[in-house]
Amino acid sequence: MMASTEEEKTGLQEEAITINGSPLAVRKMQTFEHIGSLAAVAQSYGPRSVKSRILKSIYIVLIKAKINVLLPFGPLAVILHYLTGKHGWVFFFSLIGITPMAERLGYATEQLACYTGPTVGGLLNATFGNATEMIISIYALKNGMIRVVQQSLLGSILSNMLLVLGCAFFAGGLTHPHKDQVFNKASAVVNSGLLLMAVMGLLFPAVLHFTHSEVQYGKSEVTLSRFSSCIMLLAYASYLFFQLKSHRSLYNPIDSEVDEGQDAKEEDNEEEEEPEITQWEAIIWLAVLTIWISILSGYLVDAIQGASESVNMPIAFISVILLPIVGNAAEHASAIMFAMKDKLDITLGVAIGSSTQISMFVIPFCVVIGWMMGKQMDLNFQLFETATLFITVLVVAFMLQEGTANYFKGLMLILCYLIVAASFFVHVDPTADDN
Amino acid sequence: MANSAIELEPNAATKHAIPISTVALPPASDFHCAFQKIAHSLKIVIFSAKINVLLPFGPASIILHYLTNHHGVVFLCSLLGIIPLAERLGYATEQMAAYTGPTVGGLLNATFGNATEMIIAIYALKNGMIRVVQQSLLGSILSNMLLVLGCSFFAGGIVHYDKKEQLFNKGTAVVNSGLLLMAVMGLSFPAVLHFTHSEVRYGKSEVALSRFSSCIMLVAYGSYLFFQLSGRESSHYSRIDIQEGSESDSQRQNQSQNRAEPEDEEEEPEIGLWESIAWLALLTLWVSILSEYLVNAIQGASESFNLPVAFISVILLPIVGNAAEHASAVMFAMKDKLDITLGVAIGSSTQISMFVIPFCVVVGWMMKKNMDLNFQLFETATLFITVLVVAFMVQDGTANYLKGLMLVLCYLIVAASFFVHVDPSSSDD
């Protein structure tokens, strides 16, 4: 499991806000004293200290986290792309290289959120939470690989709901073997209801197409998709407003006044956030990392076709299973860690919130971008994917209603994900003209 | 019937209320003693339950099979003959569980709980009648969730009419139905894959996927058993409020739950450990023999009665396999012990979907038959819709006769649909 920076901090504190679920929304609190002194040092703006500040910044962001051991794979992928023609290698290396950068992007977003306060911070998290998936999708869209976009976003939702949730429940259940873990039923139910509605909104173009009941075959569903996407974006904006402003109390986690003795690092009293880098540094890192990820995504997307041929895997499998694992890796790790610390509300916020964000924001956003680029991106996921998505969301929503979790439920979710992954392994698109 | 104190219903708790002391055991001698023991055992197992009046139908069907060519009559007779055997099998399992303690007893119930369906399915598989296997197992799940549950709710509601509605443990029901939903979801993917025509190798991919999924489901079932039997505290699984150190896990089928009755807390098995093992083996053998004749007669019965094979597989076969559970579920509902009823119905369905069906796929794999999880579209949709609807319906923790009536009527509609249903490929087995 990739160690994220949370492991290095001795104190963790979840804020009451679990804003649409990305881990970046979780306010982490550091209690290293020397971080505080570094922050103090970083306040000085003298020219002599600029260089040392840059070095310190690089150290904090790039070197300190253990996940950054994967960083060299990025440049390696670029080198391999120009030196050899082995798409398989390029693909896998860029995959591995993006993972730490996605995590660092999350870190930078969270650092910036420390300065901007909860509201804008929430917005930041909401936007950048799935930045990696968005960037990869936009590149794929530019290449005209519409099916890859659809499948990778769908796979992201499936991976969040089944794999991340399953691993988290399983790990949490094994760590707390003698009782069920509880989470805030109300917010889980609200979130899964929203997710269900979002999925329903996504389904109608596909249903329309597959019941062969459109007015203009092929055109109607694109138009319908674009209209639905605008509506979904409107819904997403109101969802943000709902979470951040008017109904914040709904998202409070379960009070931990009942003693959870395992959690020795319980810090409910320390509310200060001590960011490690300054605001401008955070902004700069945000920009740098985004550019870096974009570059790597370009190579990644270009190598998909070749990798599929050389490794003999269907493109569907690569898009649905492999790509989302990369994009979600950091969230995955933090969700598991929070489950083991018996903070299941955060885990649920991460998993379900991320899925909601993808279905209500990223997917419609990609449709709109495709509209602007003149590509025919629509919401017509093929029948198998649509059915899979709908069944999954329904089953998971039902299962979360109870408000408890144990390792067996986690195991069942993981096994269901394995079955889904296996289905995609033997799956080709019916039209058989892949992008 | 030797003893009029014995109740009518099969697997009724009070059946075991006969204290051993009233049965005079012979003093220890050798051959005479063995003979007496066998006779005594025979008396308890064979002669003391009223359902065994149906026993002669078994041999009758065998005789008819050789004497006449009336497949229809053979089919009906073997159907009727299996019913008491299935019930006795449950009884023997429960008796043996009394000796082995709760854990192994739970395992026993988990394995033998649906032994009849398993045996029938394996025979059908051997004959290459893959659709019959799929449909009979699917029909078993449908029958458990709609017919058994519906009859129980209805009967319980009528008997307790003054109470307006009966209550059951909401948490357990939700957890169990959630598990069933996940199991059914796992079973659905090969069918969905096939029907969206999106497989890599048409016809082969779904078999491969089915086999993979079945292995995964068997792993899930193994962990399900481990999870339930590992004695969790604060679990919903101790549905039965009487926990007297005997079984407290919900994997037990209805037979063992009888013993947790408030008025009958000790387990007084009526036959010895070795006797129950011997009876278990004997009854299994007997059921196998009859199943063979049953399965062989399906095609002929379908033609002579003019019923679709689908109807026979989905509706008639499961009624046989489930008859004993059906009766006891209804009885428990009438006694206002709805938790046990729900445990029987939903637990049996979960067991079939997580164990029996994947097990049949694996057995088919070993027999080199192309058994897969691709139930046809209609069956898959029916199964999923049914499980979803019933899962929602048990959420509120109450039951009344109207709910039961609705479930029974839904089952009638499903049965009617299968009456006019032919397989699209129409290459029936």
Side-chain angles (χ1 to χ4, degrees):
Chain A
M1 186 169 103
M2 286 157 289
S4 50
T5 51
E6 297 92 290
E7 298 287 353
E8 305 178 14
K9 301 172 191 160
T10 54
L12 283 169
Q13 163 66 36
E14 81 283 6
E15 181 85 5
I17 305 167
T18 51
I19 297 166
N20 32 40
S22 64
L24 320 172
V26 176
R27 306 298 187 84
K28 295 181 275 261
M29 186 206 56
Q30 313 87 8
T31 53
F32 283 149
E33 291 112 326
H34 76 267
I35 296 299
S37 70
L38 265 180
V41 166
Q43 293 301 320
S44 67
Y45 284 98
R48 168 180 59 88
S49 57
V50 167
K51 187 164 159 221
S52 66
R53 249 193 320 132
I54 293 180
L55 284 176
K56 274 191 190 104
S57 199
I58 294 181
Y59 168 75
I60 293 176
V61 177
L62 283 187
I63 313 246
K64 214 166 53 148
K66 290 191 190 124
I67 200 177
N68 291 337
V69 73
L70 296 175
L71 266 180
F73 281 96
L76 262 180
V78 179
I79 296 173
L80 278 175
H81 175 87
Y82 288 115
L83 284 190
T84 76
K86 292 203 185 288
H87 291 280
W89 287 104
V90 176
F91 178 77
F92 279 107
F93 275 22
S94 37
L95 213 59
I96 299 178
I98 288 188
T99 308
M101 287 200 282
E103 196 273 334
R104 293 284 90 197
L105 189 63
Y107 170 77
T109 310
E110 160 216 343
Q111 294 290 305
L112 188 56
C114 294
Y115 291 99
T116 60
T119 314
V120 182
L123 277 172
L124 271 179
N125 280 314
T127 319
F128 283 88
N130 285 302
T132 320
E133 279 100 340
M134 257 199 288
I135 294 173
I136 295 181
S137 303
I138 293 178
Y139 265 105
L141 208 51
K142 228 168 58 168
N143 274 18
M145 301 163 101
I146 294 177
R147 284 298 287 151
V148 171
V149 176
Q150 290 177 338
Q151 287 173 333
S152 71
L153 293 175
L154 177 125
S156 204
I157 298 181
L158 287 178
S159 138
N160 267 318
M161 301 222 70
L162 292 177
L163 190 62
V164 173
L165 213 54
C167 288
F169 279 5
F170 187 65
L174 285 185
T175 323
H176 305 269
H178 296 298
K179 61 179 183 68
D180 286 355
Q181 296 178 281
V182 293
F183 50 86
N184 183 355
K185 213 188 321 191
S187 78
V189 168
V190 167
N191 272 336
S192 40
L194 280 174
L195 182 58
L196 207 51
M197 279 195 283
V199 164
M200 181 173 110
L202 290 180
L203 287 183
F204 280 112
V207 176
L208 182 71
H209 178 83
F210 282 102
T211 52
H212 302 291
S213 48
E214 342 170 59
V215 175
Q216 288 169 304
Y217 188 82
K219 285 212 166 190
S220 295
E221 74 217 25
V222 180
T223 316
L224 178 63
S225 305
R226 291 171 174 166
F227 179 73
S228 302
S229 306
C230 298
I231 294 200
M232 299 288 287
L233 287 173
L234 194 64
Y236 185 65
S238 23
Y239 170 60
L240 283 183
F241 181 77
F242 179 81
Q243 266 199 313
L244 296 178
K245 280 263 198 290
S246 62
H247 276 79
R248 266 168 65 159
S249 58
L250 208 57
Y251 293 89
N252 290 334
I254 289 209
D255 273 341
S256 44
E257 80 247 10
V258 182
D259 68 301
E260 289 151 14
Q262 315 92 334
D263 203 0
K265 299 187 171 138
E266 191 63 30
E267 49 281 312
D268 278 298
N269 32 12
E270 293 156 55
E271 300 267 347
E272 309 168 34
E273 303 145 5
E274 292 203 35
E276 296 180 3
I277 54 182
T278 67
Q279 185 172 358
W280 284 111
E281 287 176 10
I283 295 180
I284 294 174
W285 274 116
L286 214 54
V288 167
L289 287 167
T290 308
I291 293 176
W292 217 337
I293 290 184
S294 309
I295 295 175
L296 264 191
S297 305
Y299 290 101
L300 179 74
V301 166
D302 282 336
I304 286 183
Q305 184 72 35
S308 151
E309 283 155 20
S310 63
V311 186
N312 205 16
M313 269 193 233
I315 286 193
F317 184 79
I318 293 182
S319 318
V320 175
I321 308 294
L322 293 185
L323 284 185
I325 288 187
V326 159
N328 276 341
E331 291 167 7
H332 196 151
S334 73
I336 291 182
M337 186 205 51
F338 278 112
M340 297 208 294
K341 296 194 179 189
D342 208 13
K343 294 191 193 301
L344 268 187
D345 290 298
I346 304 181
T347 297
L348 274 173
V350 167
I352 310 244
S354 186
S355 308
T356 312
Q357 193 183 0
I358 293 178
S359 54
M360 282 177 83
F361 176 56
V362 180
I363 296 183
F365 186 67
C366 288
V367 174
V368 170
I369 297 264
W371 193 359
M372 296 195 294
M373 283 193 204
K375 308 274 181 194
Q376 296 278 72
M377 163 87 179
D378 63 2
L379 292 178
N380 175 19
F381 299 74
Q382 296 299 320
L383 193 54
F384 178 63
E385 283 88 329
T386 308
T388 307
L389 180 64
F390 190 69
I391 292 176
T392 303
V393 171
L394 206 56
V395 169
V396 175
F398 186 80
M399 216 203 48
L400 287 177
Q401 274 197 331
E402 240 207 312
T404 67
N406 50 53
Y407 74 87
F408 180 67
K409 282 187 180 171
L411 188 63
M412 282 297 286
L413 288 172
I414 296 178
L415 293 180
C416 285
Y417 186 74
L418 285 180
I419 295 182
V420 170
S423 326
F424 277 102
F425 199 75
V426 293
H427 166 87
V428 293
D429 272 344
T431 49
D433 59 327
D434 283 7
N435 23 28
Chain B
M1 297 306 139
N3 195 331
S4 57
I6 302 165
E7 296 255 341
L8 220 75
E9 308 94 316
N11 300 333
T14 50
K15 179 173 57 187
H16 314 302
I18 312 159
I20 293 290
S21 56
T22 62
V23 181
L25 285 176
S29 44
D30 35 349
F31 170 71
H32 187 68
C33 166
F35 185 70
Q36 287 266 11
K37 268 212 246 180
I38 294 179
H40 160 71
S41 197
L42 265 178
K43 182 163 74 160
I44 293 183
V45 176
I46 304 279
F47 289 113
S48 47
K50 289 217 172 103
I51 200 178
N52 291 338
V53 73
L54 293 174
L55 265 181
F57 279 98
S61 77
I62 300 185
I63 298 172
L64 281 173
H65 176 87
Y66 288 115
L67 284 189
T68 75
N69 237 351
H70 280 144
H71 288 281
V73 186
V74 175
F75 179 76
L76 273 182
C77 286
S78 41
L79 213 58
L80 288 174
I82 286 189
I83 294 181
L85 292 176
E87 193 272 333
R88 292 285 90 196
L89 192 59
Y91 169 77
T93 309
E94 162 212 348
Q95 292 293 304
M96 194 164 131
Y99 290 98
T100 61
T103 313
V104 182
L107 276 173
L108 272 179
N109 274 309
T111 319
F112 282 90
N114 286 301
T116 320
E117 279 100 338
M118 257 199 290
I119 293 174
I120 295 180
I122 292 179
Y123 267 106
L125 208 52
K126 225 166 63 163
N127 275 19
M129 302 164 98
I130 294 177
R131 285 298 288 150
V132 171
V133 175
Q134 290 177 340
Q135 287 172 334
S136 71
L137 293 175
L138 178 124
S140 204
I141 299 181
L142 287 178
S143 136
N144 267 318
M145 300 225 73
L146 292 177
L147 190 63
V148 173
L149 213 54
C151 288
S152 317
F153 281 5
F154 185 66
I158 297 283
V159 167
H160 297 274
Y161 189 67
D162 48 320
K163 273 206 317 204
K164 290 304 169 208
E165 51 186 25
Q166 299 177 276
L167 299 174
F168 52 85
N169 184 350
K170 212 188 325 188
T172 320
V174 169
V175 167
N176 278 339
S177 44
L179 284 177
L180 180 58
L181 203 52
M182 275 197 283
V184 165
M185 176 174 113
L187 289 181
S188 309
F189 280 117
V192 177
L193 184 73
H194 178 83
F195 280 100
T196 54
H197 302 295
S198 51
E199 347 169 58
V200 175
R201 279 180 294 178
Y202 189 81
K204 284 206 169 199
S205 295
E206 75 216 27
V207 180
L209 179 62
S210 304
R211 290 172 175 167
F212 179 75
S213 302
S214 305
C215 298
I216 290 195
M217 296 297 288
L218 286 175
V219 168
Y221 187 66
S223 32
Y224 176 55
L225 287 184
F226 178 76
F227 178 74
Q228 284 202 304
L229 299 178
S230 64
R232 300 167 49 80
E233 53 157 277
S234 83
S235 63
H236 344 262
Y237 300 109
S238 55
R239 296 165 296 127
I240 309 163
D241 295 339
I242 314 105
Q243 301 152 28
E244 299 299 323
S246 58
E247 55 305 88
S248 63
D249 50 64
S250 67
Q251 188 49 44
R252 296 302 190 80
Q253 296 288 319
N254 54 322
Q255 298 93 335
S256 57
Q257 291 141 14
N258 302 346
R259 270 168 296 164
E261 299 278 289
E263 59 271 7
D264 182 17
E265 285 168 9
E266 305 171 37
E267 305 148 10
E268 291 206 33
E270 298 180 2
I271 54 182
L273 177 61
W274 285 112
E275 291 175 48
S276 46
I277 294 181
W279 274 115
L280 212 56
L282 197 61
L283 287 167
T284 308
L285 200 60
W286 217 335
V287 170
S288 309
I289 295 176
L290 266 189
S291 304
E292 185 167 5
Y293 289 100
L294 179 74
V295 165
N296 280 333
I298 286 183
Q299 187 70 33
S302 148
E303 284 154 20
S304 64
F305 289 134
N306 206 14
L307 288 173
V309 177
F311 183 79
I312 292 182
S313 319
V314 176
I315 307 297
L316 293 185
L317 284 185
I319 288 186
V320 160
N322 276 341
E325 291 165 7
H326 194 150
S328 72
V330 170
M331 183 204 55
F332 277 110
M334 298 203 290
K335 292 191 181 185
D336 205 17
K337 291 187 193 307
L338 270 187
D339 289 304
I340 303 183
T341 298
L342 274 174
V344 169
I346 302 193
S348 185
S349 307
T350 310
Q351 193 185 1
I352 293 180
S353 57
M354 282 176 81
F355 178 54
V356 180
I357 295 183
F359 184 69
C360 288
V361 173
V362 170
V363 169
W365 194 0
M366 297 196 289
M367 285 193 204
K368 308 238 183 303
K369 306 277 179 194
N370 265 348
M371 164 87 179
D372 62 2
L373 292 176
N374 175 21
F375 299 71
Q376 297 297 321
L377 192 56
F378 177 65
E379 282 88 328
T380 309
T382 308
L383 181 64
F384 194 72
I385 292 176
T386 301
V387 171
L388 203 58
V389 167
V390 175
F392 268 105
M393 209 206 55
V394 298
Q395 273 198 332
D396 64 345
T398 66
N400 49 52
Y401 73 90
L402 182 64
K403 282 188 178 176
L405 189 61
M406 290 293 290
L407 287 173
V408 173
L409 294 179
C410 285
Y411 186 73
L412 288 180
I413 295 180
V414 169
S417 336
F418 278 102
F419 197 78
V420 294
H421 167 87
V422 292
D423 271 345
S425 51
S426 142
S427 55
D428 275 312
D429 25 27

